[in-house]
Amino acid sequence: MRTVFWEDSKVKMIDQRLLPGEFVIAEFETVAGVARSITEMYVRGAPAIGATGAFGMALAAQNSAATDRDGLLADLAAAKATLDAARPTAVNLSWASRRLLELAEFTVLPNVDDIRSALLAEAQALADEDVAINRRMGFNGAAVIPDGSNLLHHCNTGALAAVDFGTALGVVFACQEQGKQIHVWVDETRPRLQGARLTAWELMRAEIPMHLIADNAAGHLMRTGQVDVVIFGADRVAANGDAANKIGSYKLAVVAKENGIPVYCVAPTSTVDLNLAHGDLIPIEERGAEEVTGIGERLIAPEGVPVYNPAFDVTPHRYLTGIVTEEGICYPPFTQSLATAVGRARERVVENRKARGK
Ligand code: MRU
């Protein structure tokens, strides 16, 4: 089962807000609806958001009343603006919507219906590539996870955070496929509890040994020798390797370094933003107070309390042992190794397109 997919001319997705209690497929027929699904986190996780954005662009083409290429391009540009604004930190969203828009801009197809079909095929290809990329990345990362390791993991980076298989949890699934005995400490990940709700659900279904921990337990586990490797994903990686990920990741990386524990960030090249020189340039999303003042429907703080709720933080690259991508593991100096990985990935997209006869 894929996290997000196209069916019956609609964008469909697992409603992650309801897991693990209920498994519901939500469906959207308008670009505004798809943007809302991202903002309200029916779908979340950087690669999953990217694929959703791509299907959103295909939906825009389908719904456009344009009868000529210029009209269609104008509708697609408007859709891209709407989709990109849905969440600011994960660069996969604008990466995917740009890929679809550029296809429409540079195509030699003269007929708008053919362009519509080409956009849908490209969104499907992007989603299929995401799964293949995650598998390659997972096995690249598994190479540095010794048998018998205790991993510490933050947020949710599994199949739910991508189209399938996942990023950092993809490494865990790859270790399992290789027959390695591993155990995962699962950070609950306040305020939205992606670790407790989603990662625990995925690991239990896969029968991978794990324990759910309160976020505040991580430092104690690291200082007392119970963690061998810290592993998390990213929503945007700057050119120098600074990585924005779910709030709390930075704190884990600093404590890991203090205790001599390797830290791997696992992210596809679509998450790397070579346009940003360093992590302080990454936009950090702020979300609503209700995520902090409540758990589910239950209020846990005095009504009206002032709240600050940044959803991501930036881990400076000096705390990262390596950045695992689908093109291999990037090591310092990241400015060079990331640029090389992104270059290789771009060549692969062109080769794949040629192979599909596009
Ligand atoms: O706010 P979320 O749940 O979208 O945040 C997700 C994360 O921070 C993930 O760790 C990240 O997207 C990288 S792995 C898919």
Side-chain angles (χ1 to χ4, degrees):
M1 168 52 106
R2 291 190 172 195
T3 297
V4 54
F5 54 98
W6 178 273
E7 194 178 66
D8 302 332
S9 303
K10 295 175 193 160
V11 182
K12 299 191 179 180
M13 62 190 67
I14 299 171
D15 185 348
Q16 301 190 34
R17 303 167 312 158
L18 306 178
L19 287 171
E22 285 174 74
F23 186 94
V24 172
I25 301 294
E27 47 186 62
F28 296 90
E29 296 179 64
T30 63
V31 171
V34 173
R36 186 169 63 80
S37 76
I38 296 171
T39 304
E40 295 182 5
M41 294 175 69
Y42 287 66
V43 62
R44 31 69 48 204
I49 293 175
T52 306
F55 285 127
M57 291 292 284
L59 191 62
Q62 177 188 269
N63 292 354
S64 166
T67 51
D68 62 14
R69 196 167 159 276
D70 285 350
L72 183 62
L73 285 181
D75 286 346
L76 286 171
K80 176 171 167 43
T82 302
L83 291 164
D84 290 358
R87 284 191 84 186
T89 302
V91 72
N92 305 60
L93 182 52
S94 56
W95 166 86
S97 59
R98 187 179 320 113
R99 179 167 152 180
L100 274 278
L101 181 60
E102 284 179 355
L103 183 82
E105 283 172 346
F106 297 120
T107 183
V108 290
L109 294 169
N111 180 303
V112 280
D113 280 337
D114 289 341
I115 301 176
R116 287 187 177 96
S117 306
L119 283 173
L120 178 55
E122 188 73 5
Q124 293 280 17
L126 186 146
D128 293 344
E129 281 167 23
D130 182 76
V131 184
I133 282 169
N134 294 338
R135 284 196 67 83
R136 282 211 305 282
M137 189 162 63
F139 283 91
N140 288 341
V144 292
I145 308 295
D147 196 7
S149 290
N150 281 294
L151 306 174
L152 177 63
H153 175 271
H154 197 58
C155 196
N156 172 265
T157 66
L160 291 167
V163 179
D164 203 351
F165 205 68
T167 60
L169 274 193
V171 173
V172 171
F173 296 136
C175 286
Q176 184 190 40
E177 281 190 32
Q178 291 175 336
K180 283 181 184 163
Q181 303 298 316
I182 47 165
H183 167 266
V184 187
W185 298 112
V186 175
D187 264 2
E188 60 178 343
T189 319
R190 274 285 287 154
R192 290 189 69 101
L193 299 169
Q194 289 94 328
R197 295 189 304 106
L198 307 176
T199 298
W201 184 72
E202 287 197 47
L203 290 180
M204 287 179 77
R205 275 164 58 107
E207 299 185 0
I208 291 173
M210 57 149 287
H211 283 87
L212 178 63
I213 58 168
D215 293 328
N216 289 336
H220 168 69
L221 292 176
M222 286 196 258
R223 198 188 65 75
T224 53
Q226 300 182 72
V227 177
D228 300 303
V229 182
V230 171
I231 189 163
F232 51 69
D235 286 73
R236 194 182 301 224
V237 178
N240 69 347
D242 293 351
N245 191 50
K246 180 51 54 191
I247 194 80
S249 304
Y250 167 57
K251 201 165 66 172
L252 294 180
V254 173
V255 178
K257 186 162 181 142
E258 161 75 11
N259 289 281
I261 299 168
V263 179
Y264 288 96
C265 172
V266 186
T269 53
S270 53
T271 301
V272 179
D273 188 349
L274 294 181
N275 295 319
L276 300 186
H278 57 80
D280 288 341
L281 300 171
I282 298 175
I284 300 293
E285 177 184 16
E286 279 178 43
R287 295 191 61 88
E290 70 289 350
E291 293 185 351
V292 180
T293 56
I295 295 186
E297 297 297 299
R298 192 165 77 88
L299 196 67
I300 57 164
E303 213 157 326
V305 65
V307 169
Y308 175 50
N309 183 19
F312 299 93
D313 60 23
V314 173
T315 299
H317 62 89
R318 65 179 176 280
Y319 293 105
L320 300 176
T321 310
I323 300 174
V324 180
T325 77
E326 75 275 21
E327 301 297 340
I329 304 182
C330 297
Y331 291 104
F334 290 115
T335 308
Q336 273 169 28
S337 55
L338 285 172
T340 304
V342 169
R344 273 200 228 117
R346 281 188 188 143
E347 285 164 18
R348 209 186 278 270
V349 170
V350 175
E351 281 162 21
N352 286 347
R353 227 178 243 166
K354 275 191 198 144
R356 298 200 323 271
K358 301 290 165 196

